[in-house]
Amino acid sequence: MLAKSHYGWALLIIVTFMEALSCLGRTSAFSPFLEQLGEDLQVSQNTISAAYTLANLTASLLLPCIGKLFDGLPGCLFSSLLVVAFGALFIILSHCKGIAIFLGVSCPWILWVAFSGIRTCIRGFEVLDRSMVAIWFDKQRKWATSLACLILAVIASAIPWTVYKLNQYYAWQVLWMLQGVCFILFLLPFCLFIKKKHLPVRKRHPHRSNGMNFNFLKTYAFWIFIAILFLQALQNTGLAFHLVPVCKELKVNPESILKSIMGISILSIVISFVASDFFDKWGPKRLFVCFCLSNLLCGVSVLFLSCKLSQYAFIVSCGFSWGMNHSLIYMTWPYIFGTQNIGTINGFVSALICIGSSLGPLFFSYLRSISSYQCVFYLLCIVTSLMLMGLKRVTIERYV
């Protein structure tokens, strides 16, 4: 039997691998199938984007309940439900056309249901991973966060390019069927090892979330931080979903940009270690300022992506953004609110960020139909600048 300290690290690796492999359902992994999916199902890209957006909105409504479910269920049961649901939904998605004919409904409705379940599961894995880190690593949280970011960056960065290459040889139906079956068979046995750590009861604070207290929703810091994460999710998800069309409009080889994601991941790993190490010294406010600046640089670099120097700026800015994003989401909420009902807090956080993710693809799609992708990034740069100004009012009292 593993010692308690070793068990925590083993548990961290398991739940982080689960979250990393769930990137098979993220927007960057769907992007290579966008045109082919539209042709096979005879629906427009706007319709697919709309189904994806509605699915994210549906998932965002469910996530507060997912957070509460984490707090109420044993870890092994919660993770098992996520694994089975995620795999089964990919199997359903692979038979989308046949199911639509059998049920006598249009394909976009099946896409909406499947996308909704997949996005809910992805966010559920995030709640599981972040909450386990917060619960099991009170004193070594920065190192646990860095290790989790390392695993996520390595696996998540390789998935888009791998899926892009596999799509050149296999149809989307075959790939999604295999993904669903393999996900269940490979990960379900590991769910038996997932357990929660008993948390001591702490003194109640007017702005903390002991019991079923939702006063954390009344703090300005919570909402400005969420607004920044919301905007970054909108930008990242929209760009990831439309990455190939964006590259074509800007006359850039899509494969070269997809390959650059691996370089981005290397940098993000370094940044996640640095950000986690400086978190206690600087606090979340300063790191959020750096986070906004990196997102601003990302938006500007995409505007001039055909230039080689801008491509390097894109890699650097994304690396900083990805690395800090993981550290901030893992460490900010325990830093401010503690770990009591951390699942509920992470559920709300994931729900609100999920709304940003849901609006990204549709936001990009419709602005593109009105004007161009460049118009999207001009607007995002302006709003990010406003967020930087909003950070000036933030005051934070650390949870003890």
Side-chain angles (χ1 to χ4, degrees), residues 234-235 238-239 242 360-368 376-377:
L234 183 145
Q235 177 175 305
L239 179 59
H242 292 270
L362 191 61
F363 179 71
F364 272 62
S365 181
Y366 277 95
L367 272 187
R368 169 65 182 87
V376 177
F377 287 97

Side-chain angles (χ1 to χ4, degrees), residues 251-265:
K251 298 180 180 178
V252 179
N253 182 7
E255 189 171 353
S256 66
I257 301 300
L258 288 169
K259 283 183 178 178
S260 74
I261 295 177
M262 297 184 186
I264 292 170
S265 70

Side-chain angles (χ1 to χ4, degrees), residues 202-205 208-213 340-341 399:
R202 300 199 179 187
K203 251 181 166 182
R204 195 166 182 170
H205 187 283
R208 310 307 183 200
S209 55
N210 291 342
M212 292 310 292
N213 185 355
Q340 291 293 327
N341 293 318
Y399 182 90

